[in-house]
């Protein structure tokens, strides 16, 4: 089961990529674990998570084709 | 909701002063308006680690900004008696001294336009997924932080 993960702002300094496709994660917690294994510096980073453009504040199930965004604190304006 | 628009707020690069003038001019036909309030954000030459900011490069999660902006717009029209509200934010590189944010609210009486404009600036900074990277004279970069 694949989901697309997209990165923004200072997170891209860690991932060096704007997006990756991750397979086999059933929920957000397991996805974050997988991402930290791939990008260890993410563990110390503060960010918000959005699934399909909606902010999520707790663990929730993922489904095939979801887009998960990792967003550091906003700094527009 | 006739006032609900989902048009993009983004402008590539700086917002030209001429656009601001043109937008004011366009509103002369709306004769129920008695007050406009305008906020303009300008890139400031901050000093960071003995070097100076020369530009900010903006990126955003554009689809999410559009979705979020539609909700915010609806909430503002419910809260304030606005005739109209226009918001523009830069994407890409904007040099020191140039305009990166333009908030323009209009109402019959001043209070609604002023209060909505002030609250919108705070809302944009807090709630929209936009990021600024400060570029310094020595080409080093620092991710901007909002207070």
């Amino acid at each position: 089961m694949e989901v697309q993960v997209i990165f923004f702002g200072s997170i891209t300094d860690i991932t060096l990529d704007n997006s990756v496709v991750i397979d086999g994660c059933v929920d957000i917690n397991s996805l974050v674990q997988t991402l930290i294994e791939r990008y260890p510096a993410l563990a110390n980073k503060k960010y918000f998570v959005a699934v399909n453009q909606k902010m999520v504040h707790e663990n929730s199930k993922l489904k095939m084709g979801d887009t998960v965004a990792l967003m550091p604190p906003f700094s527009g304006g | 909701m006739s006032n609900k628009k989902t048009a993009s707020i983004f402008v590539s690069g700086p917002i030209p002063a001429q656009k601001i003038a043109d937008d004011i001019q366009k509103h002369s036909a709306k004769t129920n308006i008695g007050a406009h309030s305008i906020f303009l954000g300008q890139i400031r030459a901050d000093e960071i680690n003995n070097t100076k900011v020369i530009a900010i490069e903006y990126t955003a999660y554009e689809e999410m900004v559009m979705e979020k902006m539609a909700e915010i717009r609806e909430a503002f029209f419910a809260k304030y008696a606005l005739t109209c509200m226009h918001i523009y934010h830069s994407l890409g590189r904007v040099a020191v001294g140039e305009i990166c944010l333009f908030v323009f609210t209009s109402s019959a009486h001043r209070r609604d336009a002023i209060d909505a404009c002030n609250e919108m600036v705070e809302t944009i900074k807090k709630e929209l997924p936009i990021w600024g990277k400060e570029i310094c004279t020595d080409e080093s970069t620092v991710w901007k932080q909002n207070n």
Side-chain angles (χ1 to χ4, degrees):
Chain A
M1 190 200 71
E2 291 183 340
V3 296
Q4 192 189 26
V5 187
I6 51 180
F7 307 112
F8 292 96
S10 56
I11 304 267
T12 58
D13 290 347
I14 294 170
T15 60
L16 304 177
D17 249 324
N18 294 322
S19 73
V20 288
V21 172
I22 301 277
D23 196 10
C25 292
V26 293
D27 58 19
I28 290 168
N29 285 357
S30 72
L31 176 68
V32 166
Q33 250 349 92
T34 303
L35 289 170
I36 290 172
E37 280 162 30
R38 193 184 282 209
Y39 313 107
L42 268 186
N44 308 313
K45 198 79 192 160
K46 193 184 159 197
Y47 53 83
F48 306 108
V49 176
V51 178
N52 302 330
Q53 297 161 35
K54 297 271 183 244
M55 291 280 237
V56 290
H57 301 287
E58 48 201 38
N59 191 28
S60 58
K61 289 246 176 295
L62 292 172
K63 57 182 193 308
M64 179 83 186
D66 278 347
T67 300
V68 181
L70 264 59
M71 306 179 291
F74 307 151
S75 57
Chain B
M1 289 288 288
S2 60
N3 289 317
K4 190 176 160 187
K5 275 190 254 166
T6 49
S8 173
I9 64 166
F10 292 113
V11 171
S12 177
I15 298 162
Q18 191 58 53
K19 173 178 177 45
I20 296 155
D22 291 347
D23 279 12
I24 296 168
Q25 185 58 50
K26 278 181 207 160
H27 286 75
S28 62
K30 292 194 178 181
T31 52
N32 54 337
I33 292 173
H36 297 303
S37 191
I38 288 175
F39 175 87
L40 300 173
Q42 174 169 307
I43 306 298
R44 183 179 56 240
D46 271 351
E47 270 196 46
I48 305 172
N49 309 325
N50 297 324
T51 167
K52 241 190 194 138
V53 171
I54 54 166
I56 292 182
E57 175 130 8
Y58 289 101
T59 51
Y61 186 1
E62 291 184 58
E63 297 89 341
M64 188 166 163
V65 167
M66 280 180 71
E67 203 161 300
K68 192 82 202 160
M69 205 52 231
E71 279 170 33
I72 292 169
R73 175 174 282 278
E74 199 169 324
F76 270 64
F77 276 96
K79 181 171 178 182
Y80 299 103
L82 294 175
T83 312
C84 52
M85 175 168 75
H86 304 275
I87 291 140
Y88 299 95
H89 194 295
S90 293
L91 270 192
R93 192 169 169 136
V94 186
V96 158
E98 293 182 321
I99 301 299
C100 58
L101 173 63
F102 172 27
V103 178
F104 185 7
T105 54
S106 309
S107 55
H109 303 282
R110 68 185 180 284
R111 197 53 66 195
D112 285 293
I114 293 170
D115 292 349
C117 186
N118 288 343
E119 190 180 335
M120 181 51 72
V121 174
E122 298 306 316
T123 303
I124 288 166
K125 286 178 174 271
K126 209 169 123 208
E127 292 189 30
L128 295 186
I130 302 173
W131 297 272
K133 183 156 79 172
E134 294 168 321
I135 299 160
C136 302
T137 32
D138 61 358
E139 285 300 312
S140 64
T141 60
V142 181
W143 287 99
K144 178 176 175 279
Q145 290 184 328
N146 280 355
N147 299 317

